[in-house]
Amino acid sequence: MSTPNTHEGASRITAYLKHCTKQHASVFFIGVGGVMMSSLALLTHRAGHPTVGSDRVHTVVTEQLEAQGIRVCYNHAAENIPADCGLVVYTVAISPDNPEYVAAMERGIPCVSRADYLGALMTDYRLRVGVAGMHGKSTCTSMCAQILLDAEVDPTILSGATYAPMGGAYRLGDSKEHFLFEACEYMDSFLDFNPTVAILLGAELEHVDYFKDMEQIRESFARFASLTGSEGITVVNADDEDILESAGRALTRGKTGRIIRFSAEGKESADFYARSIRTEEGLPCFELMAHGESWGDVRMAVPGRHQVINALAAAAAMDACGIRREAILSGLAHYIGAGRRMERKGSVNGATVYDDYGHHPTEVKATLEGAKALCTAGCAHENASARLICVFQPHTYSRTANLYSQFLTAFDAADHVLLLDIYAAREVNTFGVSSEGLAADLNAATPGKAHYCPSPAHAAEQIRALAREGDSVVIMGAGDVIRVTEILFG
């Protein structure tokens, strides 16, 4: 069971921090090793607050925090909360019976959720760009990041994925002009943020343990767009009717000032749209049309036609922030891919191995189609047939059960599918689904295509047995499927 988001708001959280400053009290982060939590801890530390955190595992991220002077406790215990603690920040992934959370509540220490805290910190910046959508958030955030880096505007960036040019998942700039952040919709976390520019990439039924239907999702995105205010801007996917509906509600309510539309389907009524989309050497290319004129060809360095959506959204948002055309085009051309987004890890038996975070069937399908195009284009062996092998770990029973029919077609581009057990996360299997069952149903349509793997070690063994020169292997999922990669490459 997750712990709910708080909704204290920027003014109250700012008051908590001022009290911490006055009393020289520490700020404690429960789950400090997370991508977003670690960046918030560093922002807090840089602001001069004594900063402490806890996490269960020792990682590169926690080492980096310790190197910066942040103390990390490698367990969850009530005694970890410092005697002088003035504020606790937690991730909603923790359980309400977390001993640190319980201890803080019993001692009357203010406790705020990660999203609530982030929403307060960002108000120090003039232009605040939030990237929302069921798919593509981290990729679009990283594309925007590359554009801002090429524009040399010294931005602060908080993403949900690592990006090599930033040296991690965040960048702490000195300027108070640009604040770019990934806006997660799960449990409506993004409604605690304060964007001046909201990007809405796309809406689809997802997080079915929280969102019950599309109407709830449409309203949540409408409320996120409304956070921009009457002077703000909402950048929307003109090819997605649900997103258009959400943005329209915000505009009708007078809660957003302007809507900028982009279209990967070439809709000429959009402010930004793609023309002549094609694949060259397995990678997407298109002509970028902006404000009725051609900005020239964009050649992506990452596979998949779905990348065009992310590129158009990034271009439109950065243009709205006043970033010059040259930097936008340069940034898109220089974008090299975010961590665990078709990230190349090495080779096995001459097959190229990629690591990817995709776990929704739409993401799986789009990623595998892009991987297949890249795999085919890269096969230089005469009479050879490049094959695509997918290792997939379903994430949560509820998602697997509710989107089961979509999973049955999500792997169409793959030649072999290796399925690990469903990653439970916060759930108990009351749905009657299993990876063994999914493999059987995939094999009913295409005999011999799917294989159930009871452990990461077994999956790694299967890869070594199957992979051959010219193949591509994509290891996918949001759980601990990365253990397969670790077994293969150490």
Side-chain angles (χ1 to χ4, degrees):
M1 182 180 177
S2 302
T3 304
N5 279 305
T6 56
H7 305 288
E8 298 277 3
S11 59
R12 291 195 67 176
I13 293 173
T14 299
Y16 294 149
L17 287 172
K18 286 181 178 178
H19 175 77
C20 287
T21 300
K22 185 177 180 180
Q23 301 297 321
H24 201 62
S26 59
V27 181
F28 189 89
F29 290 81
I30 304 176
V32 74
V35 171
M36 194 68 75
M37 286 289 275
S38 61
S39 57
L40 293 178
L42 282 167
L43 278 172
T44 304
H45 179 69
R46 193 173 74 165
H49 299 288
T51 307
V52 187
S54 66
D55 217 297
R56 289 177 297 179
V57 259
H58 189 282
T59 65
V60 172
V61 172
T62 58
E63 286 180 3
Q64 291 171 343
L65 293 174
E66 291 177 312
Q68 293 294 319
I70 295 174
R71 182 165 65 87
V72 178
C73 307
Y74 290 100
N75 64 345
H76 290 300
E79 54 267 27
N80 290 340
I81 303 293
D84 68 347
C85 186
L87 179 65
V88 168
V89 182
Y90 65 88
T91 167
V92 295
I94 68 166
S95 170
D97 62 1
N98 176 283
E100 293 155 347
Y101 179 78
V102 171
M105 295 293 285
E106 289 176 347
R107 288 169 52 183
I109 300 170
C111 296
V112 299
S113 60
R114 177 185 67 185
D116 208 2
Y117 190 69
L118 171 56
L121 293 189
M122 69 176 63
T123 57
D124 285 342
Y125 299 79
R126 189 178 75 87
L127 292 170
R128 307 181 291 273
V129 182
V131 184
M134 291 303 184
H135 315 299
K137 291 186 293 292
S138 295
T139 296
C140 186
T141 301
S142 297
M143 286 185 184
C144 290
Q146 186 63 66
I147 292 170
L148 292 172
L149 292 174
D150 281 19
E152 299 181 340
V153 294
D154 193 23
T156 290
I157 302 165
L158 273 64
S159 180
T162 59
Y163 186 55
M166 295 197 304
Y170 55 85
R171 180 187 190 276
L172 308 182
D174 292 321
S175 169
K176 292 295 184 180
E177 188 72 4
H178 296 88
F179 189 99
L180 170 67
F181 63 99
E182 183 174 326
C184 180
E185 71 284 339
Y186 182 57
M187 293 184 70
D188 281 333
S189 294
F190 62 177
L191 299 185
D192 286 311
F193 300 152
N194 292 285
T196 58
V197 177
I199 300 176
L200 307 186
L201 292 169
E204 188 176 8
L205 190 60
E206 168 65 307
H207 304 301
V208 291
D209 57 335
Y210 179 74
F211 291 113
K212 303 309 178 188
D213 53 35
M214 284 305 300
E215 173 52 30
Q216 184 185 357
I217 290 170
R218 283 190 292 269
E219 181 57 23
S220 286
F221 278 103
R223 291 171 64 194
F224 176 68
S226 296
L227 297 174
T228 63
S230 59
E231 300 298 317
I233 295 171
T234 302
V235 177
V236 302
N237 186 347
D239 304 325
D240 189 313
E241 291 299 324
D242 292 305
I243 285 296
L244 288 174
E245 167 68 20
S246 296
R249 292 183 190 182
L251 189 65
T252 299
R253 296 166 184 170
K255 298 294 187 178
T256 190
R258 182 159 60 103
I259 293 178
I260 297 174
R261 296 169 176 82
F262 65 89
S263 170
E265 296 179 3
K267 293 178 180 176
E268 296 185 5
S269 59
D271 302 278
F272 284 74
Y273 66 93
R275 192 161 68 180
S276 304
I277 301 177
R278 60 214 183 268
T279 299
E280 295 181 1
E281 298 181 350
L283 299 171
C285 305
F286 64 96
E287 183 182 6
L288 176 57
M289 302 297 295
H291 308 301
E293 66 172 308
S294 174
W295 279 15
D297 276 357
V298 173
R299 298 177 181 273
M300 307 296 295
V302 288
R305 289 173 69 94
H306 60 288
Q307 302 293 359
V308 177
I309 297 172
N310 299 317
L312 289 168
M318 295 298 95
D319 179 69
C321 290
I323 301 300
R324 65 187 189 280
R325 178 192 307 191
E326 293 76 17
I328 292 173
L329 294 173
S330 172
L332 294 179
H334 290 160
Y335 174 69
I336 60 173
R340 298 212 66 218
R341 272 64 178 178
M342 276 298 285
E343 181 182 3
R344 184 169 180 163
K345 304 300 290 188
S347 63
V348 173
N349 302 337
T352 305
V353 180
Y354 299 90
D355 182 32
D356 193 84
Y357 185 72
H359 50 283
H360 185 283
T362 297
E363 297 166 347
V364 173
K365 186 177 183 66
T367 299
L368 292 180
E369 287 175 351
K372 187 68 172 181
L374 189 63
C375 174
T376 303
C379 185
H381 306 283
E382 189 175 351
N383 299 323
S385 176
R387 301 173 308 158
L388 177 60
I389 301 167
C390 175
V391 181
F392 182 68
Q393 181 186 51
H395 191 265
T396 72
Y397 302 112
S398 59
R399 179 183 287 107
T400 307
N402 283 277
L403 305 178
Y404 197 84
S405 62
Q406 294 180 49
F407 276 116
L408 292 178
T409 59
F411 305 96
D412 286 354
D415 298 286
H416 294 281
V417 181
L418 309 180
L419 292 168
L420 289 164
D421 283 318
I422 298 170
Y423 188 78
R426 51 196 170 268
E427 296 182 343
V428 176
N429 191 4
T430 59
F431 300 88
V433 291
S434 70
S435 290
E436 290 177 278
L438 180 57
D441 287 338
L442 288 171
N443 285 331
T446 309
K449 177 172 183 166
H451 314 267
Y452 166 66
C453 297
S455 69
H458 187 265
E461 181 182 321
Q462 287 291 99
I463 291 171
R464 292 190 183 104
L466 282 170
R468 66 191 185 202
E469 190 79 25
D471 289 348
S472 290
V473 179
V474 182
I475 301 172
M476 306 183 75
D480 60 1
V481 68
I482 194 171
R483 290 168 59 196
V484 178
T485 308
E486 293 170 348
I487 291 170
L488 289 173
F489 302 108

